Amino acid sequence: MTESFPSFAVMLYLDRDEVYPVTRITTGVFGEPGGHRYLLQAQFGPDVFSWMLNQRQAMVLVRQLPKLLADIQREYPELQDPLVAAQPNLALSDPVTPLFRVGRISLGYDRIHDLVVLTLIDADALVAMLDFDENESEQRGHQIYATRGQALLLSQHTEQVVAAGRPYCPVCDEPIDETGHFCMPATARDRQTGELLH
């Protein structure tokens, strides 16, 4: 299946009365060397939930969350700077079994509750979009609400997690292997999604 790249909505307004941020949100890797998988993990009170990401999606968190936070601060200058924990615990917790493999990540902001919203769409649900109504498929996604401080920490920590893995090519944004790297030209990619054209 062709990976779908994230789409972003800078400002998302929700009219729900009760929305609560996660207790903790982090990323990490699991599996044997050479077969590492990235996880996004959120904790709601005592409950821990995990989702599988690919390295490109992890990089999205690194690059797009700071941009979103900057957009929020620019749009709403009355907001204080994000509150960040002094010594956050960002290690993965058990269980690390992912609920699903993420096919799309959307980032947004709920101004009413001052929370960053991460919407994770199941990769299998993206396939279902070919046969069903898109809105029906979107409902299979999971929404995670985090404070701006949690989102900032998530971006910073994910950058460290990705940096510990294979380096990324600054030209084509693909991981560089120990044996070398074939850099695909920009004309081989879709301008909007970044996907390889077949």
Side-chain angles (χ1 to χ4, degrees):
M1 174 187 157
T2 302
E3 286 290 339
S4 294
F5 286 78
S7 60
F8 300 96
V10 173
M11 299 300 163
L12 174 66
Y13 290 90
L14 302 172
D15 56 4
R16 299 175 186 172
D17 292 330
E18 296 183 2
V19 173
Y20 301 100
V22 296
T23 309
R24 190 171 70 97
I25 186 167
T26 189
T27 52
V29 294
F30 75 106
E32 298 299 323
H36 284 162
R37 297 290 181 265
Y38 287 83
L39 279 185
L40 173 66
Q41 189 175 83
Q43 185 169 344
F44 301 84
D47 299 319
V48 177
F49 301 94
S50 300
W51 299 266
M52 186 184 301
L53 304 176
N54 60 38
Q55 192 169 14
R56 182 178 295 278
Q57 291 166 337
M59 284 300 296
V60 163
L61 298 177
V62 173
R63 294 174 178 166
Q64 298 300 331
L65 278 174
K67 291 181 181 178
L68 174 64
L69 293 172
D71 288 342
I72 293 169
Q73 199 68 48
R74 184 166 47 253
E75 182 74 15
Y76 305 103
E78 71 276 9
L79 292 175
Q80 297 180 349
D81 291 337
L83 296 176
V84 178
Q87 295 181 323
N89 175 16
L90 298 176
L92 292 177
S93 302
D94 290 329
V96 295
T97 304
L99 296 173
F100 56 73
R101 182 171 62 90
V102 175
R104 179 185 298 163
I105 301 176
S106 297
L107 302 179
Y109 176 62
D110 172 5
R111 178 63 186 97
I112 296 174
H113 301 96
D114 189 20
L115 294 174
V116 173
V117 186
L118 289 81
T119 303
L120 312 177
I121 304 298
D122 189 338
D124 293 335
L126 290 175
V127 175
M129 287 183 183
L130 299 176
D131 302 318
F132 300 100
D133 181 77
E134 181 174 345
N135 292 330
E136 178 183 341
S137 187
E138 287 285 346
Q139 293 174 1
R140 303 182 201 184
H142 292 178
Q143 284 192 322
I144 302 172
Y145 297 86
T147 66
R148 288 181 290 120
Q150 288 173 326
L152 179 59
L153 278 178
L154 176 64
S155 174
Q156 294 170 346
H157 177 69
T158 303
E159 184 173 18
Q160 295 174 357
V161 170
V162 172
R166 292 181 296 174
Y168 257 63
C169 174
V171 177
C172 70
D173 210 25
E174 291 292 333
I176 302 173
D177 295 321
E178 295 178 0
T179 57
H181 172 66
F182 176 71
C183 190
M184 296 296 291
T187 55
R189 295 186 177 277
D190 183 284
R191 291 183 180 179
Q192 292 183 338
T193 66
E195 295 179 2
L196 288 174
L197 300 174
H198 299 287

